[in-house]
């Protein structure tokens, strides 16, 4: 994969995000080139997910009375962040 491949990923449900992490964690790393490609893809996926999280937190801070923003904030803090935390630790172990 190339950088930018995850730019159109919608992070609004764990079901859309998880397969990308699972693919990365299952990917074989038989060579130095494969490792560097994996690292670029892991960083790109992390960047997209982190940006979604950060914007959700910013929106919630700016407008705590909006129910839609509040629901996204609850999803981020209650589902997305806890789900990706162990995957990031596993990903760091690859490095």
């Amino acid at each position: 994969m190339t950088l930018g491949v995850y730019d159109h990923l919608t992070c609004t449900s764990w079901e859309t995000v998880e397969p990308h992490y699972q693919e990365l964690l299952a990917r074989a790393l038989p060579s130095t080139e494969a490792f560097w490609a994996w690292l670029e893809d892991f960083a790109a996926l992390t960047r997209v997910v982190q940006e979604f999280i950060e914007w959700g937190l910013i929106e919630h801070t700016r407008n705590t009375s909006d129910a839609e923003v509040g629901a996204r904030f609850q999803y981020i803090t209650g589902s997305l962040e806890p789900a990706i935390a162990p995957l990031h630790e596993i990903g760091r172990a690859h490095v």
Side-chain angles (χ1 to χ4, degrees):
M1 291 190 192
T2 60
L3 290 175
V5 71
Y6 301 111
D7 285 348
H8 299 292
L9 175 66
T10 57
C11 301
T12 53
S13 75
W14 177 238
E15 291 74 25
T16 62
V17 176
E18 182 183 28
H20 298 285
Y21 280 105
Q22 294 303 329
E23 185 277 325
L24 285 169
L25 295 175
R27 192 185 298 177
L29 303 175
S31 66
T32 303
E33 292 80 16
F35 168 75
W36 286 112
W38 179 91
L39 189 59
E40 286 179 354
D41 290 345
F42 186 81
L45 179 57
T46 299
R47 177 183 50 81
V48 169
V49 172
Q50 196 61 41
E51 183 175 347
F52 175 81
I53 290 170
E54 290 169 7
W55 276 112
L57 299 176
I58 290 168
E59 289 173 358
H60 182 66
T61 301
R62 291 170 55 187
N63 189 359
T64 58
S65 62
D66 185 316
E68 184 178 324
V69 171
R72 188 172 348 180
F73 177 77
Q74 290 300 319
Y75 160 68
I76 288 170
T77 58
S79 298
L80 185 60
E81 287 183 321
I84 64 171
L87 295 172
H88 281 194
E89 290 305 315
I90 293 169
R92 286 186 188 102
H94 273 68
V95 178

